[in-house]
Amino acid sequence: MGEINGVVAGKQCYPAAAMEMEVSAELGHTAGSKLYDDDGRLKRTGTMWTASAHIITAVIGSGVLSLGWAIAQLGWVAGPAVMLLFSILTYYTSALLADCYRSGDESTGKRNYTYMDAVNANLSLRVLAVRYIVGVAIGYTIAASISMLAIKRANCFHVKGHGDPCNISSTPYMIIFGVVEIFFSQIPDFDQISWLSMLAAVMSFTYSTIGLGLGIVQVVANKGVQGSLTGISIGVVTPIDKVWRSLQAFGDIAFAYSYSLILIEIQDTIRAPPPSEAKVMRRATVVSVAVTTLFYMLCGCMGYAAFGDNAPGNLLTGFGFYEPFWLLDIANAAIVIHLIGAYQVYCQPLFAFVEKWAQQRWSKSWYITKDIDVPLSFSSSGAGRCYKVNLFRLTWRSAFVVVTTVVSMLLPFFNDVVGLLGALGFWPLTVYFPVEMYIVQKRIPKWSTRWVCLQLLSLACLIITVASATGSVAGIMSDLKVYKPFATAY
């Protein structure tokens, strides 16, 4: 590679941080101190708006496209009511969790850098939600491949007509998405993906707006609103299927709102107090949850209004809409770009946790701890910026993406997988741990009125989780009876 102790081809190669330290040393100690927080880490620069962008990227995802189907199972009364209920629960538990970012005082207490750090600090318990993050990665891979496939099918329908089946395999598109994620997964830290997160947030508004617009046009074409107060009728489906599908709808809606697992990581990007990170995060949560709920209500309700009981499982890929095909292509391309960013928003905290653990476990291993400087540019003086390549980061992150991609090829069931992920992650990550940590953080007395109310909330959400998971598992079992791995999709 031509690199010896940071000298590449006779020129000095400095990491960006090292160059900043050198500049600050020339300017004096005061300037240098502005580069770091009180814990010695590089100073954070995040604001309410960047935090809101991260949240919107994480929340407005592929789940929005299944909301029309979810409301179709529940009807005009229960569907919007359940969505509003989950939005309130998400905001409330997120506010509880935001108060647990620092142990003790919310402005000066010890910082917890990750969700898992916060749980360990408050409950003396290590929790690693690896399975849920892996599940999210799989769900996003499935959703992205379906959207890429939908672009191909929309063009096929336009050329060959709507009667042509246009059967295409989703496997190549999953591989393409996986290759892209391998590249982006090499971004070293969570705080370096703000640009990707903001781009993804813009894309989420793009495809949501297109879906909303197409729904409105379809309602006008139908000369009225479709659907009923109670949702899909018994007779169209069997009574037991009505129950399973209604429960699965709860899981789909829960998945659409889930982001608690990365809330602490997002909060850790907010600049140091004053005001406290907790106050900024609560404001960001209000903004982002309000925005996402408005979009969810509009997209979900309009999807149901346009198609009624026949609402597709994925509004933009279930081909309720065929034309204009170019607009569908734009919407699905926006979904893919958004999911590329959302995948990183969810997985970067896991990447960081595993790498931190490995460095502590094998601190003398060259493979795990050694960084190789790859030059990016050089100045006229011979010094330049470098990108640090860590072999462990390169191999393990790439392996993670490969594994999730392969599993996605085996289980490409969008609605069922989304419902199961939402159910499994909702109670433990969104409700139970935030509630328990908040009780410890605020020292709420056991059996006090507030303690009892919080426990009843947790119990009610546990019941919803179990019921939703049961419905989603039933749906997956039904799909597996007819599915052939790696076969042509649709």
Side-chain angles (χ1 to χ4, degrees):
M1 189 175 292
E3 180 268 336
I4 302 175
N5 294 328
V7 180
V8 183
K11 296 184 177 182
Q12 194 71 18
C13 180
Y14 294 106
M19 295 182 71
E20 291 173 353
M21 290 176 64
E22 185 175 285
V23 171
S24 66
E26 293 176 358
L27 296 175
H29 177 74
T30 302
S33 65
K34 294 180 180 179
L35 290 174
Y36 298 94
D37 279 328
D38 54 3
D39 61 352
R41 295 191 174 198
L42 287 174
K43 187 171 285 293
R44 296 160 291 157
T45 59
T47 65
M48 184 198 77
W49 298 112
T50 60
S52 297
H54 283 313
I55 296 171
I56 290 171
T57 298
V59 178
I60 299 184
S62 55
V64 69
L65 303 174
S66 67
L67 293 178
W69 180 90
I71 293 179
Q73 312 314 309
L74 300 172
W76 280 118
V77 176
V82 170
M83 289 176 61
L84 185 60
L85 172 64
F86 274 97
S87 70
I88 294 171
L89 283 173
T90 299
Y91 166 71
Y92 181 70
T93 57
S94 296
L96 299 183
L97 186 55
D99 283 341
C100 300
Y101 170 67
R102 287 184 182 267
S103 299
D105 186 88
E106 71 173 25
S107 297
T108 60
K110 181 181 179 297
R111 286 164 53 193
N112 297 305
Y113 304 113
T114 68
Y115 185 99
M116 290 167 276
D117 287 344
V119 173
N120 185 50
N122 288 280
L123 303 179
S124 298
L125 174 68
R126 295 301 297 181
V127 55
L128 179 59
V130 174
R131 294 178 184 177
Y132 182 72
I133 297 178
V134 170
V136 169
I138 292 169
Y140 283 172
T141 303
I142 294 171
S145 69
I146 290 175
S147 292
M148 287 188 279
L149 183 146
I151 295 173
K152 184 73 173 179
R153 294 188 77 214
N155 296 336
C156 175
F157 287 135
H158 179 72
V159 173
K160 298 182 179 180
H162 302 168
D164 193 291
C166 292
N167 290 327
I168 306 167
S169 174
S170 62
T171 298
Y173 299 101
M174 291 187 185
I175 294 174
I176 292 171
F177 184 78
V179 170
V180 172
E181 290 301 348
I182 287 176
F183 174 78
F184 280 105
S185 68
Q186 298 310 309
I187 297 175
D189 300 310
F190 188 87
D191 59 0
Q192 295 179 23
I193 63 171
S194 293
W195 65 272
L196 183 60
S197 183
M198 290 182 178
L199 174 63
V202 172
M203 292 298 103
S204 68
F205 283 113
T206 299
Y207 67 73
S208 297
T209 302
I210 292 174
L212 175 61
L214 291 173
I216 293 172
V217 170
Q218 187 66 39
V219 169
V220 173
N222 293 340
K223 297 181 179 179
V225 173
Q226 305 292 311
S228 64
L229 295 179
T230 58
I232 192 167
S233 305
I234 295 176
V236 178
V237 295
T238 64
I240 189 65
D241 282 341
K242 170 71 173 179
V243 173
W244 293 140
R245 290 166 69 138
S246 296
L247 294 176
Q248 185 182 331
F250 274 76
D252 284 0
I253 295 172
F255 178 80
Y257 277 104
S258 297
Y259 80 99
S260 294
L261 182 60
I262 58 171
L263 183 145
I264 296 293
E265 282 83 349
I266 293 173
Q267 193 166 345
D268 192 48
T269 66
I270 297 173
R271 64 168 61 111
S276 69
E277 299 95 344
K279 290 181 179 178
V280 176
M281 194 65 186
R282 284 194 291 269
R283 290 199 292 265
T285 299
V286 169
V287 171
S288 54
V289 171
V291 169
T292 54
T293 299
L294 176 62
F295 262 79
Y296 283 177
M297 286 289 187
L298 290 173
C299 294
C301 292
M302 200 53 64
Y304 184 42
F307 298 105
D309 291 349
N310 295 319
N314 187 314
L315 190 61
L316 292 174
T317 64
F319 287 94
F321 302 113
Y322 289 92
E323 300 291 343
F325 78 98
W326 56 268
L327 189 60
L328 289 173
D329 289 352
I330 292 173
N332 281 295
I335 292 173
V336 174
I337 295 172
H338 171 262
L339 291 175
I340 289 172
Y343 188 106
Q344 293 302 317
V345 167
Y346 267 97
C347 293
Q348 282 284 342
L350 174 62
F351 295 158
F353 176 84
V354 171
E355 287 155 20
K356 178 182 177 182
W357 172 81
Q359 288 175 0
Q360 292 174 344
R361 180 68 176 80
W362 296 288
S363 59
K364 296 182 179 180
S365 171
W366 178 90
Y367 168 70
I368 292 175
T369 60
K370 176 67 175 180
D371 289 331
I372 300 173
D373 291 332
V374 176
L376 299 179
S377 64
F378 287 106
S379 65
S380 57
S381 63
R385 290 178 178 266
C386 326
Y387 176 77
K388 285 185 173 292
V389 175
N390 180 277
L391 292 179
F392 177 65
R393 182 177 69 218
L394 176 65
T395 53
W396 115 258
R397 293 190 183 190
S398 299
F400 175 89
V401 176
V402 170
V403 170
T404 56
T405 302
V406 171
V407 174
S408 300
M409 295 176 189
L410 298 173
L411 294 171
F413 314 130
F414 179 73
N415 278 88
D416 297 329
V417 171
V418 162
L420 183 59
L421 291 175
L424 292 179
F426 174 67
W427 178 72
L429 301 176
T430 303
V431 181
Y432 175 74
F433 284 117
V435 165
E436 293 300 316
M437 286 191 288
Y438 182 79
I439 288 173
V440 173
Q441 179 85 349
K442 299 300 182 180
R443 300 179 181 178
I444 299 174
K446 195 172 185 179
W447 301 112
S448 65
T449 301
R450 195 173 190 185
W451 184 92
V452 171
C453 289
L454 288 171
Q455 296 299 336
L456 288 175
L457 171 66
S458 182
L459 177 61
C461 293
L462 172 61
I463 294 171
I464 293 174
T465 290
V466 172
S468 300
T470 303
S472 298
V473 169
I476 291 175
M477 295 302 293
S478 177
D479 288 337
L480 286 173
K481 292 179 182 178
V482 296
Y483 174 69
K484 295 180 181 180
F486 306 110
T488 300
Y490 295 95

